[in-house]
Amino acid sequence: NAGVTQTPKFRILKIGQSMTLQCAQDMNHNYMYWYRQDPGMGLKLIYYSVGAGITDKGEVPNGYNVSRSTTEDFPLRLELAAPSQTSVYFCASTAIPVEEETQYFGPGTRLLVL
Amino acid sequence: LAKTTQPISMDSYEGQEVNITCSHNNIATNDYITWYQQFPSQGPRFIIQGYKTKVTNEVASLFIPADRKSSTLSLPRVSLSDTAVYYCLVGDSGAGSYQLTFGKGTKLSVIP
C-alpha cells in the first residue's frame, strides 16, 4: 500500500490564482481530513469527509473548497490564492472515527503564495 | 473541543527517559488520548493511544491517571532520532464531530 499520497510536493502561486491540492489513499478509509500547518504552529483542520459525497467544515475553512466523489480521493481547492494561505498542507485518513483510530498522514504540500 | 496544554519545549540527553505531560481538564467521558510525533518537513506519525491507566507499545508508554485530566508520554532511552515535535490530542466525541485539535506541541531536543 502507498498509504496517503499528496501532489504536488511544492508549489508557488501568485495572488488570485487557483489550484487544486490532490490527496489519495489506498487503504479504503472512509474518513479523510485536510490540515494546514503554519511555521512553528500545530495543525489546523480545514475540511473533513466521513465518506464519499459527504464533507464538512473544520476550524479554518474560509478560502477553501473540497469534494469527495470517491472513497480514495479528497482534493482541496483554493479559488483565489492569498498570501495568508502560504502554509504546509497535510492530508490524512482513518478507517473509523478519529477518536478511536490513528490518522495516517501524507507527506504534505508546501504552498507559497506571492 | 477538548483543549490540551503541554510544555513548549524540552531538552534531554541521549539515553535518558523523557516524560512529556499533557493536561486536558475538560476531557469528555468517551474521549481517547492520542500522541503523535512530527519530524521537520513530514506529516505527523501516530505514537500511542489510550483511554485510561497505562498503555505500552514498542515505542513508548502512556500513563493516564484515574481522573484522566492529564496524561504522560514516556519515551525510554531517547536517541538523537527522537528529536521531534510531540503532540497530545484528545478526541472530541461530541455528536457528529470528528475533529481533533492539534496544539503547538512539545519540541523535544535530544542532546548528544
Side-chain angles (χ1 to χ4, degrees):
Chain A
N1 288 349
V4 179
T5 58
Q6 292 183 238
T7 57
K9 290 184 179 180
F10 177 68
R11 181 77 180 269
I12 300 175
L13 281 182
K14 293 182 180 180
I15 295 172
Q17 286 186 320
S18 62
M19 77 164 292
T20 299
L21 283 67
Q22 301 292 344
C23 174
Q25 52 90 11
D26 61 358
M27 297 173 284
N28 201 33
H29 286 172
N30 286 325
Y31 299 83
M32 296 187 74
Y33 308 82
W34 272 107
Y35 294 91
R36 60 175 287 174
Q37 185 174 32
D38 299 331
M41 304 297 287
L43 284 75
K44 293 186 178 180
L45 183 65
I46 305 172
Y47 270 96
Y48 65 96
S49 169
V50 301
I54 306 170
T55 62
D56 207 347
K57 296 177 181 179
E59 182 184 357
V60 289
N62 292 342
Y64 307 94
N65 279 301
V66 293
S67 60
R68 185 90 182 275
S69 57
T70 67
T71 300
E72 294 78 21
D73 301 299
F74 190 38
L76 177 71
R77 178 81 176 166
L78 282 71
E79 292 294 347
L80 293 170
S84 61
Q85 294 178 304
T86 293
S87 190
V88 180
Y89 292 83
F90 291 103
C91 179
S93 72
T94 59
I96 59 176
V98 68
E99 296 90 342
E100 300 174 15
E101 182 56 272
T102 68
Q103 285 192 329
Y104 295 87
F105 283 83
T109 293
R110 187 174 299 272
L111 177 65
L112 179 61
V113 182
L114 299 174
Chain B
L1 297 174
K3 184 179 178 180
T4 60
T5 303
Q6 49 183 125
I8 296 295
S9 64
M10 294 181 68
D11 294 333
S12 176
Y13 288 101
E14 272 191 297
Q16 288 188 330
E17 178 184 74
V18 172
N19 296 309
I20 305 174
T21 297
C22 176
S23 64
H24 27 79
N25 292 321
N26 58 343
I27 188 170
T29 302
N30 295 327
D31 285 348
Y32 282 74
I33 300 158
T34 310
W35 285 79
Y36 284 83
Q37 175 192 56
Q38 186 178 28
F39 297 114
S41 302
Q42 294 186 26
R45 184 181 71 153
F46 171 85
I47 300 176
I48 198 167
Q49 184 181 72
Y51 182 79
K52 61 181 180 180
T53 62
K54 177 183 176 182
V55 180
T56 298
N57 61 22
E58 65 277 6
V59 176
S61 294
L62 179 60
F63 299 91
I64 304 170
D67 65 5
R68 304 199 329 121
K69 294 184 182 297
S70 67
S71 59
T72 299
L73 174 72
S74 181
L75 304 172
R77 300 179 60 80
V78 294
S79 64
L80 295 177
S81 62
D82 292 317
T83 293
V85 178
Y86 293 82
Y87 294 97
C88 164
L89 285 79
V90 175
D92 184 351
S93 56
S97 174
Y98 299 95
Q99 301 186 36
L100 286 180
T101 299
F102 282 79
K104 293 184 179 181
T106 297
K107 185 175 183 180
L108 173 65
S109 298
V110 180
I111 306 165

